[in-house]
């Protein structure tokens, strides 16, 4: 989570051309950039964490298949994402949107102040970081016994 939060926050220093959140087109460009980059950032963080080389995205794959490729392929062995697994990942990402949108309320509130959109999304990611959201293997394991 630290890597994801840090890299998304650093995008605010990289993209200066479309950060006016009061301009619809700028918000759209920032959203497209973030949606396009998040799978690559997440997969790179995962590969770093498990000590494997980072796999670059492929233009011939669809969004979820590309994410699966970056997560599970290795330089020695190509990974062919199964259609069922890809469809399931598409479904999961569609089903969790309402929860994720509620959790990113902190980021949205920060955005209402006119802050950089990438910094606001990094704040939303940071709000998901911790035991109640599954961090450190979930909050239930660390709950006090007297509850």
């Amino acid at each position: 989570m630290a890597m994801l939060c840090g890299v998304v926050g650093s995008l605010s220093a990289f993209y200066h051309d479309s950060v006016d959140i009061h301009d619809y087109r700028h918000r759209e460009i920032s959203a497209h950039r973030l949606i396009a980059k998040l799978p690559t950032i997440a997969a790179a963080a995962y590969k770093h964490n498990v000590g494997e080389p980072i796999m670059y995205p492929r233009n011939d794959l669809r969004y979820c298949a590309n994410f699966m490729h970056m997560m599970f392929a290795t330089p020695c062995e190509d990974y062919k994402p199964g259609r069922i697994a890809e469809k399931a990942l598409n479904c999961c990402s569609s089903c969790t949107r309402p929860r994720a949108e509620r959790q990113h309320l902190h980021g949205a509130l920060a955005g209402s102040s006119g802050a950089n959109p990438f910094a606001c999304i990094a704040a939303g990611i940071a709000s998901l970081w911790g035991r109640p959201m599954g961090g450190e293997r979930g909050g239930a394991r660390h709950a006090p016994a007297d509850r």
Side-chain angles (χ1 to χ4, degrees):
M1 230 18 166
M3 290 175 76
L4 184 65
C5 184
V7 172
V8 169
S10 72
L11 292 174
S12 63
F14 189 74
Y15 292 114
H16 295 284
D17 61 338
S18 56
V19 293
D20 179 12
I21 66 159
H22 301 294
D23 183 346
Y24 173 80
R25 184 68 182 136
H26 284 203
R27 288 193 313 266
E28 185 178 47
I29 290 169
S30 294
H32 287 174
R33 284 177 173 160
L34 193 62
I35 290 167
K37 291 181 185 318
L38 265 178
T40 306
I41 296 167
Y46 170 76
K47 287 291 200 171
H48 175 77
N49 191 39
V50 297
E52 293 181 3
I54 295 171
M55 297 300 296
Y56 291 109
R58 289 180 23 198
N59 290 333
D60 62 321
L61 295 175
R62 286 187 221 119
Y63 189 77
C64 286
N66 209 3
F67 177 62
M68 292 168 65
H69 161 76
M70 290 185 289
M71 291 285 287
F72 305 118
T74 62
C76 304
E77 231 177 275
D78 197 26
Y79 175 79
K80 303 224 185 293
R83 280 296 216 197
I84 294 172
E86 181 185 356
K87 207 171 189 181
L89 186 58
N90 276 328
C91 180
C92 287
S93 64
S94 298
C95 294
T96 59
R97 270 189 210 134
R99 177 179 165 259
E101 288 168 2
R102 285 192 307 273
Q103 294 301 326
H104 285 81
L105 176 62
H106 293 20
L109 291 175
S112 66
S113 68
N116 184 291
F118 296 109
C120 294
I121 297 299
I125 291 168
S127 74
L128 295 172
W129 189 355
R131 288 185 298 151
M133 292 299 126
E136 295 183 31
R137 306 288 188 256
R141 192 176 93 194
H142 300 286
D146 61 335
R147 279 193 189 173

